[in-house]
Amino acid sequence: MSESPSSSAAKPGTVHLVGAGPGDPDLLTLRAARLIGGAKLIVHDGLVDPAILALAHPAAKLVSVAKSRARHTMKQEAINALLVAEALAGHDVVRLKGGDPFVFGRGGEEAEACREAGVPVEIVPGITAATGASAAAQIPLTHRDSASIVSFVAGQCKGLTEQDWSGLAGKGRTLVIYMGVATSEAISEKLMADGLAPDVPVAVIENASRPEMRVLRGPLAGLPSLVETHRVKSPALIVIGDVTAEPEQELRKIAREVAK
């Protein structure tokens, strides 16, 4: 008996949107590590650490869709199409993304494209850059004495100067800026124009959780100079607020309060 067309059609594979975390392979979830190790096809971002890609099976096919400010290996629409095409051909796909797929990772767009095509999707969360970088640098995003509100914003987006960031930074608040290295001057000017004091402490965390990690500190007004002088490169995160003050500064501040 011949098979009906529906029974002979290939069953779609599953697209796993997997968060690779901030860089250190030890910070992967168990689910992420298992999927990477068992995958036959991995479509990965450029900022995924080589040590994480090394966990893949030697026979696995690795496809880089690296993006940078100046150059895109593959446009987002083409990435969506690639994921859908591979899945519809019956292949399971691990789509490996730095940090968490749903925090500035365009995971939502890729999940929508898959669902619209009838492709099953699984989301595997990862440690997002904000929490991974702050933990590695021992900077608490919240602190009972300093901050009870945290905001995440993208520093590399259309219409940056027109966006309203008022109220996102200041006393009792921490502002975390993703993808802000290339626009650090505009970010500094924008926040000060919105009323933030020029001496608000800032930390730039480069290569968080990796052996070459650097933590650079300074005032908000000096953010562009900090980035330029130290030649900061992505992946890097900018954290703004009192939580970024160095311990010595905090001790001096406490001493002044006690002396009053």
Side-chain angles (χ1 to χ4, degrees), residues 155-252:
Q156 195 179 105
C157 54
K158 295 179 180 179
L160 175 62
T161 54
E162 285 76 32
Q163 290 192 31
D164 183 8
W165 286 5
S166 57
L168 295 184
K171 187 173 179 59
R173 299 169 183 266
T174 302
L175 179 61
V176 182
I177 302 174
Y178 288 66
M179 301 169 287
V181 170
T183 55
S184 61
E185 184 173 0
I187 287 169
S188 177
E189 292 175 354
K190 176 181 180 60
L191 289 171
M192 288 189 292
D194 286 343
L196 205 58
D199 62 351
V200 167
V202 170
V204 179
I205 308 170
E206 181 187 60
N207 288 311
S209 80
R210 306 180 190 196
E212 63 272 28
M213 183 180 81
R214 294 192 295 172
V215 182
L216 308 169
R217 287 181 168 89
L220 175 62
L223 174 60
S225 176
L226 192 70
V227 169
E228 182 179 359
T229 300
H230 294 277
R231 299 182 180 180
V232 177
K233 303 293 184 184
S234 293
L237 199 77
I238 300 170
V239 185
I240 299 173
D242 288 341
V243 295
T244 67
E246 294 192 73
E248 293 79 7
Q249 291 177 276
E250 284 299 302
L251 289 173
R252 288 195 293 270

Side-chain angles (χ1 to χ4, degrees), residues 8-184:
S8 60
K11 179 181 177 182
T14 298
V15 172
H16 306 273
L17 300 182
V18 179
D24 184 348
D26 285 346
L27 297 179
L28 289 168
T29 65
L30 290 174
R31 177 64 176 156
R34 289 175 185 141
L35 283 168
I36 294 168
K40 294 182 179 179
L41 173 61
I42 297 175
V43 178
H44 65 90
D45 286 347
L47 293 181
V48 174
D49 196 278
I52 291 176
L53 296 177
L55 299 176
H57 191 279
K61 180 181 179 181
L62 278 70
V63 178
S64 173
V65 290
K67 295 180 181 179
S68 68
R69 184 174 173 83
R71 176 186 58 84
H72 284 193
T73 299
M74 189 178 293
K75 293 185 179 296
Q76 187 60 51
E77 294 77 10
I79 296 173
N80 297 349
L82 171 65
L83 299 177
V84 168
E86 290 291 349
L88 290 179
H91 306 144
D92 289 337
V93 183
V94 168
R95 172 67 174 106
L96 196 56
K97 308 174 78 67
D100 181 275
F102 277 5
V103 181
F104 300 125
R106 297 191 177 182
E109 298 173 40
E110 293 174 6
E112 288 170 8
C114 290
R115 286 193 294 263
E116 289 173 1
V119 170
V121 182
E122 180 193 5
I123 312 301
V124 181
I127 295 176
T128 189
T131 54
S134 63
Q138 298 193 16
I139 295 173
L141 294 181
T142 64
H143 191 289
R144 189 168 59 170
D145 297 329
S146 306
S148 59
I149 298 174
V150 183
S151 299
F152 298 165
V153 299
Q156 195 179 105
C157 54
K158 295 179 180 179
L160 175 62
T161 54
E162 285 76 32
Q163 290 192 31
D164 183 8
W165 286 5
S166 57
L168 295 184
K171 187 173 179 59
R173 299 169 183 266
T174 302
L175 179 61
V176 182
I177 302 174
Y178 288 66
M179 301 169 287
V181 170
T183 55
S184 61

